[in-house]
Amino acid sequence: MAHPAPPHVQSAQAQVAAALQQVEGKPVDLLKAPWTEVEASVPKLLGGAFQVNNPNHQVLALGLAGAFAERLAGEHNAFWFLNRESPEGASVGFPDALMVISPFNEVMNALAQGKLARLDEIAASIRRRLGEVRFGAAGGGQKLSPMDYQRLIDPGFMQFLVMDPAKVQKAFDSKPDALMREVRDALGRTQLPAEVRQQFEGQVLSVLPQMDPNKPIAEQVELAPRIVELMGHLFGTVASTGAAQNEFWGQLILPLLFIGAPQSFPPVDDEEIEAFNQGAAPLELFVDVVPHSVQAPEEGLLGAFERSEVSPIHKAFERSRAPLHLLKLDTTRIKPLLERFDANQMVDAVRRFTKYMEEKAGKGAPPNPQNEEMLKAASVLLTDLKKVVTEGKGELCLRQMTEGDAMSEQVMAVVRQALNAPRIILA
């Protein structure tokens, strides 16, 4: 494959191939053997029927998922791309059409039904769909890459929001047609270019006409959870932080909040000094070396919120089977930390730590422009978070989004402002 499977998928595929060879006494070509032939070997391999919740059986499914993806790659140039919502941590996409599948889910379903040949039916359906695209009006268009898919599908970015519960409830109690009229009316009052307005309508409003016009959107969460969340954000958000990658929030920004601005630093070992000499960012070393001044949750969301401190923004989402992208947070733990947070003190602590490391290393820190960029971004985002938590009038929420969503957030803010602006009615 041009964009290979994740290492754990490759490992599982190799294990399955070796195990099949052992039970059959001959190699089994997972890329060419009929699925019915492969399925005949499954009971021998597992010692019985396939069990969905058995971890060893799931490894079998993961290995077969790798083989299924390779078959699709051979026929359609399919590729893996990072997708945190997929069970295997990645999904498979196609260059000729925006179409996403989870090979692991498909194999699990097929094995659970005792019909691995179902993968042939899925492959045939993909073949038909891609054929329609290739020979249709859109055929021959620009090819999609793994990075295109990741930007559009993978929820790799986050931002914190303050949401007005009354406005959120009003949006969720509204019917699709009413919301669509309000958003279109607001778009018309903005100064956004016509092509931007058109793109916004296509991305944000295209699902609303497919929903039941006679039911509030809160009753249709299972049908379209993303659009219901988006309507809540569009109508209910009153303040927000900037957006950043999930790892940046979880591994750097929020740990800085729990560390604070210490006046002294712990001893460092030879390995940490060597990392410093090799150009490791002082900010990253600061987070790794300096202990938290306040106990952080050992598990939970972003290492900052216990599971009990996280909940859906509305009871309707308790019915949704899809991963939630909009979560309500209890601020009891982090609000006191944010009230004490001072960006200048944090920056000063990191600067003093850098000098401390220079003394231990016996030489100056290697140039690292990325360190300054990260420190500035962390300072800005924590200042944003302090403002929304300590001054915001509403509930703190966390929004997970794709890179594409993050890039369009500025347009979203303009539309949201238009929705909340007073309207001038001429007599």
Side-chain angles (χ1 to χ4, degrees):
M1 296 178 73
H3 206 73
H8 63 288
V9 176
Q10 295 181 32
S11 176
Q13 187 175 339
Q15 289 180 49
V16 170
L20 286 172
Q21 180 172 349
Q22 185 175 1
V23 299
E24 294 296 342
K26 61 180 181 179
V28 177
D29 190 341
L30 289 175
L31 304 185
K32 295 181 180 178
W35 288 118
T36 50
E37 181 182 318
V38 175
E39 187 167 35
S41 302
V42 169
K44 303 177 192 176
L45 193 62
L46 302 180
F50 178 77
Q51 298 173 17
V52 172
N53 296 321
N54 186 315
N56 292 326
H57 294 197
Q58 291 172 3
V59 172
L60 167 67
L62 189 61
L64 295 180
F68 182 44
E70 270 200 72
R71 294 188 187 205
L72 295 175
E75 184 175 0
H76 305 296
N77 293 319
F79 45 72
W80 289 92
F81 67 94
L82 177 66
N83 183 8
R84 286 152 237 256
E85 287 189 339
S86 179
E88 59 269 57
S91 296
V92 168
F94 302 83
D96 294 316
L98 186 59
M99 183 165 50
V100 179
I101 71 161
S102 167
F104 178 72
N105 279 344
E106 300 297 353
V107 171
M108 285 284 285
N109 291 335
L111 286 171
Q113 295 171 21
K115 187 183 178 184
L116 204 54
R118 181 175 177 274
L119 299 179
D120 287 326
E121 298 172 10
I122 295 167
S125 175
I126 291 170
R127 195 177 299 119
R128 286 194 298 272
R129 171 68 181 126
L130 292 177
E132 291 170 359
V133 172
R134 288 169 184 148
F135 298 107
Q142 184 176 354
K143 302 290 185 182
L144 295 166
S145 71
M147 291 307 298
D148 291 326
Y149 272 84
Q150 185 175 334
R151 180 174 58 82
L152 294 168
I153 305 297
D154 175 46
F157 284 72
M158 291 178 172
Q159 69 177 155
F160 289 88
L161 314 172
V162 174
M163 303 188 74
D164 183 323
K167 291 182 178 180
V168 171
Q169 186 65 52
K170 182 179 178 182
F172 287 170
D173 288 343
S174 300
K175 295 175 182 177
D177 289 351
L179 292 173
M180 192 154 54
R181 284 195 301 271
E182 282 199 61
V183 175
R184 280 182 172 156
D185 183 51
L187 270 173
R189 297 196 304 274
T190 69
Q191 300 298 313
L192 294 170
E195 62 271 18
V196 174
R197 294 200 301 269
Q198 185 177 4
Q199 184 180 23
F200 185 90
E201 280 200 36
Q203 291 177 342
V204 176
L205 301 182
S206 58
V207 179
L208 287 173
Q210 302 172 35
M211 301 174 75
D212 188 331
N214 299 312
K215 292 182 179 179
I217 62 170
E219 295 180 17
Q220 304 186 62
V221 165
E222 291 175 272
L223 173 66
R226 294 290 83 82
I227 196 65
V228 177
E229 288 179 330
L230 193 59
M231 290 299 106
H233 172 44
L234 191 58
F235 284 85
T237 294
V238 293
S240 66
T241 69
Q245 290 179 315
N246 302 356
E247 294 81 4
F248 194 50
W249 280 110
Q251 297 173 17
L252 276 179
I253 297 176
L254 292 172
L256 285 169
L257 185 61
F258 283 90
I259 291 171
Q263 294 303 308
S264 60
F265 308 109
V268 290
D269 57 29
D270 292 341
E271 185 177 338
E272 289 157 347
I273 293 172
E274 179 61 22
F276 178 79
N277 288 334
Q278 292 297 321
L283 178 59
E284 294 178 333
L285 284 174
F286 178 84
V287 170
D288 287 341
V289 170
V290 182
H292 291 181
S293 62
V294 176
Q295 181 72 35
E298 292 185 6
E299 295 183 0
L301 181 64
L302 297 172
F305 301 93
E306 296 276 11
R307 292 179 182 176
S308 60
E309 297 169 340
V310 182
S311 60
I313 59 166
H314 190 276
K315 61 183 180 181
F317 286 93
E318 295 172 0
R319 303 191 303 268
S320 175
R321 295 182 181 180
L324 301 183
H325 286 190
L326 202 53
L327 298 166
K328 185 167 63 175
L329 305 172
D330 184 339
T331 62
T332 304
R333 182 188 306 273
I334 67 165
K335 188 173 182 178
L337 301 180
L338 287 165
E339 287 173 338
R340 296 194 298 269
F341 172 75
D342 184 290
N344 292 329
Q345 291 179 4
M346 181 198 76
V347 172
D348 176 67
V350 175
R351 298 270 190 249
R352 287 187 287 104
F353 176 78
T354 304
K355 290 183 179 179
Y356 172 75
M357 290 300 298
E358 289 175 340
E359 292 171 2
K360 297 299 181 182
K363 59 181 180 180
N368 193 325
Q370 185 183 12
N371 183 74
E372 294 304 309
E373 293 173 6
M374 291 192 299
L375 185 56
K376 181 178 179 181
S379 177
V380 169
L381 289 168
L382 276 174
T383 300
D384 283 353
L385 185 57
K386 176 177 182 174
K387 184 175 181 180
V388 299
V389 169
T390 61
E391 300 177 17
K393 306 298 182 183
E395 297 176 328
L396 183 68
C397 297
L398 179 70
R399 181 188 179 210
Q400 292 182 281
M401 53 187 162
T402 67
E403 183 180 353
D405 292 333
M407 293 174 66
S408 64
E409 182 58 24
Q410 189 173 6
V411 174
M412 186 80 71
V414 171
V415 178
R416 188 162 55 243
Q417 185 178 12
L419 283 167
N420 291 319
R423 304 182 191 183
I424 300 174
I425 302 176
L426 300 176

